[in-house]
Amino acid sequence: MYGHRRQPSIELLEFIGVVKENGNDQTLLPPVHTPLSYDYVLVAKTSENQEREIVKKQNEYIEELKKKNIRVTKIIDDELIFYGIQAPKEIFEKYRYLLKVSDACNWSADQNAVPLKGLRDLMKAKVFEAKFCLHEVKVLNKFNNNCVCVCAHVRNYFGEKVALYYLWLGCYTFLLIPPALVGMILFLYGLAFFNSSPLIKEVCEADTVMCPLCDIKCKVWKLSDTCTYAKVNLLFDNDGTVFFAMFMAVWATLFLEFWKRHRASYVCEWKVSDWCEEEEELILQIVNNTNCEPKKYKHSYLRSTVVLILFFVFSQILVIIGLTHALVVFRVIAAVLLAEGKWEFLSNNNLMGAMMLGAVFHYLIITVMTRVHSSLNVHICVHLETRSFAATEKSFTVKMFTFQFFTYFSSLFYVAFFLGRINGHPGGYVRIAGKWRLEECHPSGCLTDLFIQMAIIMVLKQTINNVFEFTGPWLKRRRTQRLQRKCAHCYLKDDFEVKDGAEMCDNCKLRDWLSNYRLNDVDSFSLFKEFLEMVIQFSFTTIFVAAFPLAPLLALINNVIEIRLDAIKMVTLERRLVPKKTNDIGVWIDVLEAIGVLAVIANGLVIGVSSDFIPRLVYRYHYGPCANGTVTDIDCMAGYINNTLSIARIDDQNLHNEFTANQMKTPGGLNVSYCSYKDYRSNEDYSLTPQFWLILAVRFAFVILFEHVVVVFKFIAAWFVPSAPMHVKNDRLFDKLARLKEELR
């Protein structure tokens, strides 16, 4: 066997104190399987608090376990009955032997696979109150005393599924360092030209009078009043934005390729490279019942069509359209209410206030809709009648992520591609219910609106999620009563090596089981929630990143904290997850691939459609002072802001119904005869100018060119980085050769 090579992401996890490897010794430690513990514990209410039928089902299930030579220990505590379940060694030996003769796992076995057929149905029927694996005190003490999780111990204690989650999160966090640095450099680049840009100078020194931004209360205002807003916009909408968008699209591909290499190294070391879910399922069925029949594959086009229509039409499209409309209406009404308020500061910055309130309102809707849709998806997956739990989990993952993605990004799509483009013009404003005007973009561009929306949602999501994820279980644990200490006899047993068959007394067993019972519950979807949170974050760091270059930096800071909090939560605040074998992160890799492709499309559209990159480019080479190539003493972008503005005159009959006389007075009390607004329209009949159509054509041409160039770079990056290191391929080659030679003996 070749020596295992240390991965950079593991070094990062070591640095922040989550993972630790055993120096140069790469030998996997055997799983801790102490006779003082039980494989599984079931909890039910006492017969006085249960119906007779439920008690009957409890007894029938326990008797079935005993018939399979599974040891069951019953302990009653007030209103609860605990059933400690311990499978005989013969079950594990049979399981390991079947894996050995199978090609599924390269002779690797899971010591914690205890078949409990039909238990999920009994849990739904409230026959049992809870089910959980017991935490092993000795292992937890090692984790707590060392303040680290040994890499091999994570796999042996929680199984490959949890271990791969931490490996993926470590790899993702480590590879966030380059985009975080590049994003920071881009931000500093915009900061360096903060005061020297001719665009900023033109806005800050302009005497241009702009049209009112809302009805009745809003008055004409000077463009120079928004000098600060223009400066902020330049921080994120500058010439470096195109480079950063291309960089992030290629980075997303490289991240996935490096993760595949990273994963291949560990699954080869763990001997699960050829693990097969179907074969594992059959082995568990045989262990449970030698006369079992496999569950056949089924597919119904009618059922799939109905679910597809229900999910995408009613659950997705209608909800998303409704949510977007609700957000638009909320922002428009909020802007009017703030403008009519008594506070001058809010009245003068009503659009900014409405935007920020809209982002907070959107986050609250996300929180509520996530809970609603989670329950809906469970029911949909049940009606699909999937063949196995893995298929149910995959179906649930795809549906839940799709909903979460569109719920999070619905407002961002509106701000990026519709805000300020469908609001009309003076004399012809688009209104909701014929009453409220739609919002406009700032003359400097709409990208700042997108940045503020992303920043608020991302920061709220990361901070609030971490606070509730950790403090909720912690407070619950603090409220539980203290349990009595172990008796001296069992305390000594726990501290020294004991022979098989050694038992704790019933009081100490009860103490151990109660302490695990009072921890926060976990289920098969607990790890799904952790993955979902991180994949949504990955979407924020890749999609629309052109508008928010600091997103990778925020994600990096969050993940350094997240890894540590997840480790503490799993070890000390939650019940032990049932260890599960796997060799990849499942359908999440396909989701990440889809996000990478969508990131190319979205960032191309953000630069081409949302930002002012293309209008500035067209002005520089076609309409500006350098268009003819002869002017050398004037900045090529001089006059750009004024070029993007159109004029509305008060003597136009269409404006009499649009603005009141009071609205056309400046704060100084002067009446104005015309005002400006951002658009490429004729000053006579408000028709779109040839410059608008030229810019539109160049926008679409840029989007097509950008996406094709980036896709080519993505394919080159994917081809250039092999999906598995050569030493891993060689390890597997020599391992297969050794197995074949052994079979010949």
Side-chain angles (χ1 to χ4, degrees):
M1 276 296 212
Y2 293 93
H4 175 67
R5 301 180 185 179
R6 288 168 58 82
Q7 301 292 333
S9 60
I10 290 297
E11 294 176 357
L12 174 68
L13 295 181
E14 287 183 31
F15 174 75
I16 62 178
V18 175
V19 168
K20 181 179 179 182
E21 292 197 347
N22 298 320
N24 295 322
D25 181 13
Q26 303 297 332
T27 304
L28 289 178
L29 299 178
V32 178
H33 191 68
T34 168
L36 298 179
S37 182
Y38 281 73
D39 300 307
Y40 218 70
V41 173
L42 298 178
V43 184
K45 291 184 178 180
T46 54
S47 56
E48 292 80 5
N49 301 314
Q50 293 280 19
E51 299 177 5
R52 289 185 178 181
E53 186 64 27
I54 290 179
V55 174
K56 181 181 177 182
K57 289 182 179 180
Q58 287 176 9
N59 295 331
E60 288 176 353
Y61 186 75
I62 297 301
E63 288 302 317
E64 284 295 320
L65 293 179
K66 290 179 179 178
K67 288 178 183 179
K68 300 178 185 296
N69 295 324
I70 294 177
R71 182 182 177 187
V72 180
T73 301
K74 180 179 178 181
I75 301 178
I76 300 178
D77 176 65
D78 295 332
E79 297 181 352
L80 297 175
I81 305 175
F82 290 87
Y83 296 98
I85 297 173
Q86 194 172 39
K89 290 184 178 180
E90 290 76 13
I91 288 183
F92 294 109
E93 292 301 325
K94 185 189 295 185
Y95 174 72
R96 296 184 71 182
Y97 175 76
L98 290 174
L99 286 177
K100 181 176 180 180
V101 299
S102 164
D103 290 332
C105 296
N106 287 351
W107 304 10
S108 175
D110 187 349
Q111 295 282 353
N112 297 288
V114 180
L116 293 171
K117 186 179 180 182
L119 185 55
R120 288 194 185 93
D121 295 332
L122 295 177
M123 294 294 298
K124 290 179 182 177
K126 301 297 182 181
V127 175
F128 292 102
E129 191 76 12
K131 58 181 176 65
F132 50 86
C133 288
L134 288 169
H135 277 295
E136 299 180 27
V137 178
K138 288 185 178 181
V139 179
L140 294 185
N141 287 338
K142 290 180 181 178
F143 289 159
N144 294 330
N145 293 337
N146 297 328
C147 297
V148 293
C149 301
V150 180
C151 186
H153 282 178
V154 174
R155 179 242 174 166
N156 288 328
Y157 191 71
F158 289 108
E160 286 85 355
K161 195 167 186 177
V162 174
L164 281 174
Y165 164 71
Y166 279 108
L167 287 174
W168 177 83
L169 185 54
C171 178
Y172 170 48
T173 303
F174 176 78
L175 291 177
L176 274 174
I177 295 175
L181 292 175
V182 175
M184 179 61 73
I185 292 172
L186 182 64
F187 178 79
L188 295 176
Y189 167 78
L191 201 62
F193 295 95
F194 208 66
N195 296 316
S196 60
S197 170
L199 303 181
I200 298 295
K201 186 177 181 181
E202 187 175 354
V203 172
C204 296
E205 297 178 358
D207 291 326
T208 307
V209 176
M210 305 296 295
C211 294
L213 294 174
C214 66
D215 297 326
I216 304 176
K217 291 292 183 180
C218 294
K219 296 184 177 183
V220 292
W221 51 283
K222 284 193 174 182
L223 181 59
S224 57
D225 295 341
T226 59
C227 178
T228 303
Y229 190 98
K231 291 180 179 179
V232 173
N233 190 77
L234 189 67
L235 292 177
F236 305 100
D237 189 2
N238 52 57
D239 295 338
T241 304
V242 180
F243 163 76
F244 189 61
M246 295 181 67
F247 171 81
M248 287 303 297
V250 176
W251 173 86
T253 300
L254 290 174
F255 159 66
L256 293 177
E257 295 304 316
F258 280 120
W259 158 245
K260 292 174 185 176
R261 291 172 58 86
H262 191 56
R263 180 199 68 87
S265 298
Y266 279 89
V267 298
C268 179
E269 180 186 349
W270 295 341
K271 304 296 184 184
V272 292
S273 298
D274 297 322
W275 175 83
C276 175
E277 179 187 325
E278 294 177 1
E279 204 157 344
E280 167 103 353
E281 178 187 333
L282 291 174
I283 291 172
L284 289 174
Q285 289 179 2
I286 293 172
V287 169
N288 187 55
N289 180 12
T290 54
N291 298 320
C292 68
E293 291 291 333
K295 192 172 182 180
K296 297 180 180 180
Y297 288 98
K298 295 180 180 179
H299 181 72
S300 170
Y301 287 102
L302 177 61
R303 184 184 295 273
S304 300
T305 303
V306 171
V307 171
L308 189 68
I309 293 174
L310 286 174
F311 178 70
F312 283 105
V313 175
F314 296 102
S315 173
Q316 297 297 319
I317 298 177
L318 295 181
V319 170
I320 291 162
I321 293 175
L323 176 61
T324 305
H325 276 75
L327 290 170
V328 172
V329 172
F330 176 85
R331 289 175 55 152
V332 169
I333 295 176
V336 173
L337 294 177
L338 290 175
E340 296 175 353
K342 298 179 180 179
W343 293 285
E344 184 178 353
F345 176 79
L346 291 177
S347 181
N348 294 336
N349 299 276
N350 62 318
L351 292 182
M352 180 68 69
M355 184 196 314
M356 299 177 73
L357 287 175
V360 175
F361 177 64
H362 185 198
Y363 177 78
L364 295 176
I365 291 178
I366 290 169
T367 304
V368 174
M369 292 301 295
T370 297
R371 295 182 179 275
V372 173
H373 204 266
S374 179
S375 301
L376 178 63
N377 274 338
V378 170
H379 290 297
I380 291 176
C381 291
V382 168
H383 289 296
L384 277 176
E385 295 183 0
T386 50
R387 179 179 171 274
S388 62
F389 176 76
T392 303
E393 188 178 31
K394 180 179 179 180
S395 176
F396 181 85
T397 298
V398 172
K399 292 179 176 62
M400 195 64 191
F401 171 79
T402 304
F403 174 81
Q404 285 282 77
F405 176 83
F406 283 108
T407 305
Y408 269 103
F409 285 88
S410 57
S411 67
L412 300 182
F413 277 106
Y414 165 73
V415 173
F417 306 126
F418 298 101
L419 179 63
R421 293 171 178 81
I422 57 173
N423 59 299
H425 56 82
Y429 283 120
V430 177
R431 297 176 181 273
I432 297 176
K435 186 175 181 181
W436 298 292
R437 274 175 54 185
L438 290 180
E439 304 165 273
E440 298 181 34
C441 280
H442 187 269
S444 299
C446 294
L447 218 57
T448 300
D449 300 63
L450 182 59
F451 150 69
I452 293 173
Q453 191 86 357
M454 283 188 66
I456 291 176
I457 294 177
M458 189 173 181
V459 170
L460 284 177
K461 172 186 173 295
Q462 295 186 161
T463 54
I464 294 178
N465 278 10
N466 282 338
V467 168
F468 279 95
E469 265 188 26
F470 186 76
T471 58
W474 182 78
L475 290 173
K476 181 181 178 181
R477 185 184 180 189
R478 297 282 294 179
R479 286 197 301 267
T480 58
Q481 61 183 11
R482 291 182 175 271
L483 298 169
Q484 62 181 9
R485 295 173 62 93
K486 289 183 181 178
C487 65
H489 181 65
C490 295
Y491 186 83
L492 291 174
K493 279 185 182 180
D494 211 23
D495 281 349
F496 297 100
E497 292 295 327
V498 293
K499 296 180 180 180
D500 289 348
E503 287 276 347
M504 292 188 295
C505 66
D506 284 354
N507 286 336
C508 292
K509 285 179 191 172
L510 181 60
R511 175 194 177 279
D512 187 25
W513 297 353
L514 272 173
S515 64
N516 280 267
Y517 173 71
R518 289 172 179 172
L519 294 175
N520 278 269
D521 190 20
V522 294
D523 54 34
S524 301
F525 293 105
S526 295
L527 199 61
F528 157 82
K529 297 171 186 175
E530 305 295 342
F531 261 117
L532 179 63
E533 181 184 350
M534 289 295 101
V535 173
I536 289 292
Q537 185 206 84
F538 178 78
S539 303
F540 273 100
T541 59
T542 51
I543 302 172
F544 298 134
V545 74
F548 191 20
L550 297 179
L553 179 63
L554 292 181
L556 176 62
I557 295 171
N558 173 80
N559 287 4
V560 171
I561 301 171
E562 178 80 21
I563 295 174
R564 188 61 185 156
L565 290 182
D566 282 350
I568 295 173
K569 183 176 64 175
M570 284 188 182
V571 169
T572 63
L573 301 177
E574 292 182 340
R575 295 172 185 168
R576 183 179 177 183
L577 284 166
V578 178
K580 292 184 179 179
K581 189 181 294 296
T582 187
N583 60 2
D584 58 27
I585 58 175
V587 72
W588 289 116
I589 192 68
D590 300 320
V591 172
L592 293 170
E593 295 275 9
I595 293 172
V597 174
L598 188 59
V600 177
I601 300 172
N603 283 300
L605 289 172
V606 167
I607 297 171
V609 177
S610 306
S611 78
D612 274 9
F613 174 76
I614 297 301
R616 290 198 297 261
L617 201 66
V618 172
Y619 180 80
R620 177 186 290 271
Y621 295 106
H622 198 270
Y623 294 98
C626 300
N628 55 14
T630 58
V631 178
T632 57
D633 57 342
I634 301 177
D635 191 284
C636 294
M637 295 304 297
Y640 168 75
I641 298 295
N642 189 59
N643 177 259
T644 62
L645 302 178
S646 299
I647 294 176
R649 300 189 179 278
I650 301 304
D651 55 10
D652 189 338
Q653 293 297 322
N654 292 325
L655 294 186
H656 289 172
N657 298 326
E658 203 74 75
F659 304 127
T660 64
N662 186 53
Q663 285 184 279
M664 301 309 293
K665 289 183 179 181
T666 64
L670 297 177
N671 291 319
V672 295
S673 59
Y674 65 89
C675 61
S676 299
Y677 62 99
K678 184 179 181 181
D679 210 342
Y680 295 99
R681 291 184 179 273
S682 168
N683 297 336
E684 284 75 31
D685 58 0
Y686 301 106
S687 62
L688 296 170
T689 63
Q691 186 175 355
F692 169 85
W693 298 110
L694 175 61
I695 290 174
L696 183 64
V698 177
R699 284 184 189 274
F700 284 115
F702 171 82
V703 171
I704 295 172
L705 179 64
F706 175 87
E707 291 176 358
H708 280 72
V709 170
V710 173
V711 166
V712 169
F713 275 111
K714 284 173 67 71
F715 276 118
I716 293 174
W719 165 81
F720 188 75
V721 181
S723 58
M726 292 301 103
H727 76 88
V728 171
K729 292 185 176 181
N730 290 330
D731 282 353
R732 294 187 60 189
L733 184 65
F734 279 92
D735 184 55
K736 288 181 179 180
L737 179 62
R739 291 173 61 193
L740 291 172
K741 288 182 177 180
E742 185 173 339
E743 290 294 328
L744 288 176
R745 297 171 186 165

